[in-house]
Amino acid sequence: MLNYIWAFMIAVGILYGAFTGNIEAVSNAALDSAKEAVDLCLTMAGVMGLWMGLMEIAQKAGLIARMTRGIQPFLSFLFPRIPKGHVAREYISTNIIANVMGLGWACTPAGLKAMEELAKLEAERGNSAYLGDGRGTEGKAGRVASNEMCTFLILNISSLQLIPVNMIAYRQQYGSVNPAGIIAPAIVATFVSTAVAVVYCKMKDRRRRV
């Protein structure tokens, strides 16, 4: 659907430029935007390389392991049905830590693995909606997300960020006088969104069990 929307917007822009005699401005804008996109990609690649390296150092130094142990009570509160020591907890912890540190791109692999393990956990519990055939309990095509899956997804989207790396990089790329000035507002905003997400997930989880 998004592809159709973008194609429609591009076509309208080109046609409007042609009919109003501004096709040259449209062409120049397209070329300038392409150059700007490449510059931004190079900047973000450098930023991600730096932070991924720091993440690797932290992991080898044992800092990630200590942080993972530190958030286990929080995980037990949010995911009481996931057994302690289950591999899904490890992936969820890694995802949360990466999000908190502002490494949104780096947390994606751990998030996907966490979802896979949560699906396997539901299959082990005997819920056929999570077996590999992709068919639900009533024979209808599709899968049904478990409470844990929904909670993890909402938490991942609303995650608290102490250092919004991407936003700082964007602001610096586009000439902000104080790129790091976004840190305090981002912490407040993501803290509120995370708190609301936790309350919402616990309320929905309680209703679903009643």
Side-chain angles (χ1 to χ4, degrees):
M1 186 61 182
L2 286 177
N3 290 336
Y4 293 113
I5 294 175
W6 280 108
F8 174 76
M9 293 173 62
I10 292 172
V12 169
I14 294 174
L15 291 175
Y16 182 81
F19 282 116
T20 57
N22 293 315
I23 192 66
E24 183 178 352
V26 173
S27 300
N28 291 336
L31 293 175
D32 291 341
S33 298
K35 178 179 179 297
E36 195 173 291
V38 173
D39 292 339
L40 180 60
C41 287
L42 291 175
T43 299
M44 296 307 297
V47 171
M48 288 305 299
L50 170 64
W51 283 98
M52 287 295 291
L54 292 176
M55 192 81 169
E56 186 70 19
I57 293 173
Q59 184 175 6
K60 291 186 177 181
L63 179 61
I64 301 299
R66 287 196 290 271
M67 293 175 67
T68 299
R69 289 194 295 270
I71 67 172
Q72 288 306 308
F74 177 69
L75 292 184
S76 297
F77 170 72
L78 276 181
F79 307 99
R81 296 182 67 232
I82 300 180
K84 291 184 178 180
H86 194 276
V87 66
R89 279 179 172 254
E90 179 181 347
Y91 289 123
I92 292 174
S93 299
T94 303
N95 178 272
I96 291 175
I97 292 171
N99 263 324
V100 169
M101 295 178 68
L103 303 175
W105 295 344
C107 73
T108 301
L112 294 175
K113 293 297 293 183
M115 281 294 191
E116 289 180 6
E117 294 301 328
L118 289 175
K120 292 179 182 177
L121 180 61
E122 289 301 313
E124 292 171 0
R125 290 170 176 166
N127 191 337
S128 60
Y130 299 91
L131 297 177
D133 58 4
R135 301 190 63 81
T137 54
E138 298 180 0
K140 297 180 181 179
R143 293 171 183 245
V144 179
S146 65
N147 285 14
E148 288 78 12
M149 287 179 173
C150 293
T151 299
F152 174 64
L153 181 60
I154 294 173
L155 185 65
N156 188 53
I157 294 172
S158 65
S159 178
L160 170 68
Q161 286 194 12
L162 299 181
I163 307 176
V165 177
N166 293 346
M167 289 301 298
I168 293 174
Y170 291 145
R171 287 165 60 85
Q172 184 177 18
Q173 176 71 15
Y174 291 108
S176 173
V177 177
N178 182 20
I182 194 67
I183 291 179
I187 291 176
V188 173
T190 55
F191 175 81
V192 172
S193 66
T194 301
V196 172
V198 170
V199 173
Y200 174 80
C201 289
K202 297 304 290 185
M203 289 176 60
K204 295 295 289 185
D205 184 60
R206 180 174 298 179
R207 289 183 181 179
R208 195 169 180 178
R209 294 179 188 282
V210 173

